[in-house]
C-alpha cells in the first residue's frame, strides 16, 4: 500500500509540474518569430509539443488524483533523496561553475576531494590518500588529454 | 562486396587500429562487467579520445567499446548475480545457479563463446541487409523521412517501461529540449530567453552524457555503499568449459535467439536490454523441459548471450542506412560519426563506401578481440570488480566533463551535462523512463525538418505525405503501433486492477 501511495503522490506532483511547464512553453512559443509564408513556421512543432505535454501531464495528474481517492489514509514514508545525492549535486555544481575560472586541474582536484569525502565511508577515509589520489588523477587525465590527444582544456588560474 | 571487404580489411589491419580495438574491447568489458557502468557510458567517456583521430580509428575504439560493453555484463551476472548491464539480466537466471554449483567456469565459457557467435550472426545480417536497404533509402525524400521518424517515435512505447503516458511525456521532453536553439530551415531562435549560450541549442553528446552518466552517478551516490562488498564466486576455467555434445545441442536455441536479438535490434528504440529477456522467454517456452530453466542450465545462458550480442548488428542497420539510432549506444555512435563530419544515412553507402565496409570489418575484428580478451583476461576483469565505486565514480565524472567540454570547447556543454544529469535523476525518481528522451531528442528535429521541407516542396499541401506509398506505409505502421500499444496498455491496466482487488 505504501508503494502505491507513494506512486500516486509522485503522479500528482509530476503531472502538475508537466502541466505548468507545458502552459509556460505554449505561451513562450508566441515569442518565436514567423518569417515564412507557410502556416507551418518555427513555432508549430514546439506548440504541438506543449499541447502534447499538457495532455499527458493532465492524464498523469488525473490518474494520480483518481487513484488517491480509492485509497484509505495510511502512513507513508516519502522517498527522500539521501544527503550524499544533494552534496554530490553541489560539488558537481561547484565544479561546473568554477572550471573556466580556476581551470580544469584545480577545479577537478577540488571536486575529486569533495566527492571522495562524500562517498568514502567515514571509517575508511584517509585525508592524505584522498588528496594524493585527487591530484594524481587530475594530473593524469589532464596529461593524457592535453598532451596525448591534443585536446584543449580550460587552464584558468594556471594559464 | 567482396572487393570492398578486402579493401576494408587492408585499411584496418594496422598495428594502430588493432591496438585501438584492443583498448576499446578491454575498457568496454570493464564497463560492462562493473554494475552501474554501461556500454553507453563507456562510449560517452571515450568519445573525446576520438576527436583527434580519423573516422576509421575513431570507430575502431567506439565499436570495440560497444561490443565489449554488451558482452562484459555476463561476468558479474554469473559471478555476483548482478547483471553488469541490462543486456545480461537473463544471464543471471541460469548463470548464477551454475556458479553456485561450482561450475562458474563453464557458465563463463558458454557466455563468452555464444556472445561471440551471436555477435557474428548479427553482423552477417547487417552486411546483407544494410547495403540493399540503403539503396532503397536513397529514393527517400522528406515525406518518407518524416513518416519514418513518426513511426520510430511511436516505438517510444516499447521504451516506456510500466507507464506509456510517462514514456510519451519523456519523449515530448526530449523533442522540446532539441527545439531549444536555432529552428530547422529558417534558424530562428527558440526558447533562448535572451541567454546567449542557449542560441546554439543543446548538443546531443553532453545531453547523453548527462542523462546516462551523471544521473547514474547521482543514483549510485544515493544507493547503499555495501555494493562494494560483493561476494564473488571462485572459478576455474579449462578450455571453454563445455563439451562438443553440449555445443551441438544448442544449435536451434542459438540460431533462434540470435535472430530474435538481430530483429529486436533493427527496430528503432529497442535494444539488448529487451532482447535477452525475450530470447530467454522464447527458449524457455519452446523447451521440452521449461522447469529446468532457472536452475542452472546452459540453454538459458546461450539464449541470453547470443541474443544480446546479435542486437548490436541489428541496431546498426537503422543507424547506418537511415541515420536513426536503434538504442542509446548507437545514439552515441551517431554523435561520434557527426564529430568527424559524417552523416549516417543512405548517402554514406554511396559517398563513403570504404568507411562503411571498414565499420563492417571492424565489427568482425572487435568481436574476435572480445572472444580472446574476455577469455584470457577473465581473472583480471574479475579483480576489477573489487575496485571501490567511491574512487571509480568521481573519476568517471571527471572524464564526463572532459568529454562534454571537448565537443565544442564551450563551458555551456559542461553545464549541459549537469542540467541533463539532474533532469534524468529527477525524472527517474518520478518513474519516467530516460531512453525516450533521447529518442525524442534525435527524432524530433528529423521529423520537424522533413515536415517543413516536405511542405515547402508541396507548397503547403499535406497530401503527398499520404500519397507517397512508402510514407503512407510508415504512417499506417505508426498508427497500428500506437493502437496496439494502447490496447496492450489497457489490458495490462485491467489485469493490474483485477490483481489488486
Amino acid at each position: 500500500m505504501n508503494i502505491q501511495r507513494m506512486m500516486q503522490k509522485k503522479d500528482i506532483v509530476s503531472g502538475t509540474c508537466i502541466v505548468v511547464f507545458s502552459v509556460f512553453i505554449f505561451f513562450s512559443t508566441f515569442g518565436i518569430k514567423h518569417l515564412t509564408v507557410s502556416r507551418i513556421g518555427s513555432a508549430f512543432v514546439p506548440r504541438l509539443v506543449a499541447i502534447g505535454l499538457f495532455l499527458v501531464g493532465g492524464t498523469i495528474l488525473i490518474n494520480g488524483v483518481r487513484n488517491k481517492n480509492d485509497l484509505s489514509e495510511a502512513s507513508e514514508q516519502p522517498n527522500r533523496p539521501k544527503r550524499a545525492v544533494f552534496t554530490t549535486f553541489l560539488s558537481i555544481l561547484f565544479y561546473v561553475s568554477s572550471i573556466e575560472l580556476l581551470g580544469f586541474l584545480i577545479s577537478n582536484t577540488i571536486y575529486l576531494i569533495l566527492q571522495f569525502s562524500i562517498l568514502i565511508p567515514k571509517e575508511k577515509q584517509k585525508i592524505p590518500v584522498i588528496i594524493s589520489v585527487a591530484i594524481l588523477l587530475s594530473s593524469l587525465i589532464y596529461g593524457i588529454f592535453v598532451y596525448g590527444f591534443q585536446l584543449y582544456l580550460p587552464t584558468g588560474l594556471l594559464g | 562486396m567482396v572487393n570492398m571487404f578486402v579493401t576494408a580489411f587492408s585499411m584496418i589491419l594496422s598495428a594502430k587500429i588493432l591496438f585501438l580495438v584492443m583498448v576499446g574491447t578491454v575498457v568496454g568489458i570493464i564497463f560492462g562487467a562493473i554494475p552501474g557502468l554501461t556500454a553507453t557510458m563507456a562510449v560517452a567517456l571515450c568519445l573525446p579520445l576520438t576527436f583527434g583521430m580519423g573516422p576509421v580509428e575513431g570507430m575502431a575504439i567506439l565499436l570495440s567499446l560497444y561490443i565489449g560493453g554488451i558482452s562484459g555484463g555476463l561476468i558479474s551476472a554469473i559471478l555476483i548475480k548482478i547483471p553488469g548491464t541490462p543486456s545480461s539480466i537473463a544471464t543471471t537466471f541460469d548463470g548464477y545457479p551454475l556458479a553456485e554449483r561450482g561450475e562458474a567456469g563453464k557458465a563463463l565459457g558458454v557466455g563468452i563463446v555464444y556472445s561471440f557467435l551471436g555477435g557474428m550472426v548479427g553482423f552477417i545480417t547487417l552486411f546483407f541487409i544494410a547495403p540493399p536497404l540503403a539503396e532503397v533509402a536513397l529514393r527517400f525524400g522528406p515525406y518518407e523521412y518524416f513518416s519514418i521518424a513518426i513511426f520510430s517515435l511511436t516505438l517510444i512505447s516499447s521504451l516506456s517501461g510500466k507507464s506509456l503516458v510517462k514514456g510519451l511525456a519523456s519523449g515530448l521532453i526530449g523533442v522540446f529540449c532539441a527545439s531549444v536553439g536555432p529552428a530547422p530551415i529558417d534558424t530562428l531562435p527558440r526558447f533562448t530567453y535572451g541567454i546567449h549560450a542557449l542560441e546554439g541549442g543543446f548538443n546531443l553528446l553532453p545531453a547523453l552524457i548527462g542523462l546516462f552518466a551523471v544521473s547514474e552517478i547521482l543514483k549510485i551516490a544515493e544507493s547503499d555503499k555495501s555494493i562494494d562488498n560483493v561476494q564473488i564466486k571462485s572459478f576455474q576455467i579449462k578450455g571453454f568449459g563445455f563439451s562438443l555434445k553440449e555445443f551441438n545441442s544448442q544449435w536451434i536455441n542459438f540460431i533462434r535467439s540470435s535472430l530474435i536479438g538481430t530483429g529486436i535490434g533493427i527496430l528503432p528504440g529497442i535494444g539488448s536490454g529487451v532482447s535477452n529477456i525475450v530470447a530467454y522467454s522464447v527458449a524457455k517456452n519452446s523447451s521440452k523441459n521449461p522447469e529446468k530453466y532457472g536452475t542452472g542450465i546452459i540453454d538459458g545462458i546461450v539464449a541470453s548471450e547470443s541474443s544480446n550480442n546479435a542486437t548490436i548488428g541489428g541496431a546498426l542497420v537503422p543507424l547506418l542506412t537511415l541515420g536513426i539510432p536503434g538504442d542509446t549506444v548507437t545514439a552515441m555512435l551517431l554523435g561520434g560519426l557527426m564529430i568527424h563530419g559524417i552523416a549516417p544515412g543512405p548517402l554514406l553507402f554511396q559517398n563513403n563506401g570504404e568507411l562503411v565496409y571498414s565499420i563492417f570489418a571492424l565489427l568482425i575484428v572487435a568481436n574476435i578481440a572480445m572472444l580472446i580478451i574476455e577469455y584470457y583476461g577473465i581473472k583480471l576483469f574479475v579483480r576489477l570488480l573489487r575496485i571501490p565505486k567511491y574512487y571509480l565514480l568521481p573519476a568517471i565524472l571527471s572524464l564526463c566533463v572532459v568529454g562534454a567540454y571537448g565537443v565544442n570547447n564551450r563551458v555551456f556543454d559542461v553545464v549541459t551535462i549537469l542540467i541533463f544529469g539532474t533532469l534524468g535523476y529527477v525524472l527517474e525518481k518520478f518513474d519516467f523512463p530516460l531512453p525516450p528522451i533521447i529518442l525524442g531528442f534525435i527524432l524530433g528535429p528529423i521529423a520537424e525538418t522533413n515536415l517543413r521541407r516536405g511542405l515547402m516542396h508541396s507548397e503547403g499541401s499535406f497530401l503527398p505525405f499520404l500519397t507517397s506509398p512508402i510514407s503512407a506505409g510508415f504512417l499506417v505502421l505508426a498508427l497500428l503501433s500506437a493502437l496496439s500499444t494502447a490496447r496492450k496498455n489497457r489490458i495490462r491496466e485491467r489485469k493490474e486492477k483485477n490483481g489488486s482487488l
Side-chain angles (χ1 to χ4, degrees), chain B residues 32 54 69 111 173 318 325 339 430 456:
Chain B
I173 291 170
I339 282 169
F430 285 94
M456 282 163 80

Side-chain angles (χ1 to χ4, degrees), chain B residues 270-295:
Chain B
I270 322 175
S272 47
V274 175
S275 68
N276 73 100
I277 298 170
V278 174
Y280 185 88
S281 312
V282 173
K284 188 178 173 181
N285 292 337
S286 40
S287 165
K288 284 175 193 158
N289 305 303
E291 71 287 350
K292 284 191 179 171
Y293 278 74
T295 60

Side-chain angles (χ1 to χ4, degrees), chain B residues 400-417:
Chain B
C400 285
V401 168
V402 174
Y405 187 79
V407 177
N408 285 319
N409 290 347
R410 348 182 253 180
V411 174
F412 179 68
D413 287 327
V414 182
V415 177
T416 302
I417 67 165

Side-chain angles (χ1 to χ4, degrees), chain B residues 34 50 61 92 139 141 185 219 230 280 355 377-379 417 446 449 469 486:
Chain B
I34 297 175
T50 70
I61 199 157
T92 54
R139 278 174 251 148
I185 313 284
K219 247 164 50 190
V230 286
Y280 185 88
L355 176 67
I378 190 85
K379 296 239 183 240
I417 67 165
I446 296 176
T449 308

Side-chain angles (χ1 to χ4, degrees), chain B residues 336-348:
Chain B
L337 283 166
M338 280 155 73
I339 282 169
H340 291 104
I342 294 157
L347 282 174
L348 183 67

Side-chain angles (χ1 to χ4, degrees), chain A residues 112 115-121 124-125, chain B residues 220 225 228-229 386-395:
Chain A
L112 287 178
Q115 189 70 81
F116 287 150
S117 315
I118 295 163
L119 295 179
I120 299 176
K124 288 184 185 169
Q125 278 190 15
Chain B
I220 290 174
K225 285 167 196 157
D228 288 324
N229 304 318
R386 296 184 203 272
I387 294 181
K389 287 241 175 58
Y390 42 76
Y391 280 123
L392 212 56
L393 292 171

Side-chain angles (χ1 to χ4, degrees), chain A residues 133-153:
Chain A
V133 174
I135 295 173
L136 201 78
L137 212 59
S138 301
S139 316
L140 194 73
I141 294 173
Y142 190 82
I144 290 175
F145 284 95
V146 173
Y147 300 111
F149 293 99
Q150 263 77 50
L151 206 74
Y152 172 77
L153 286 174

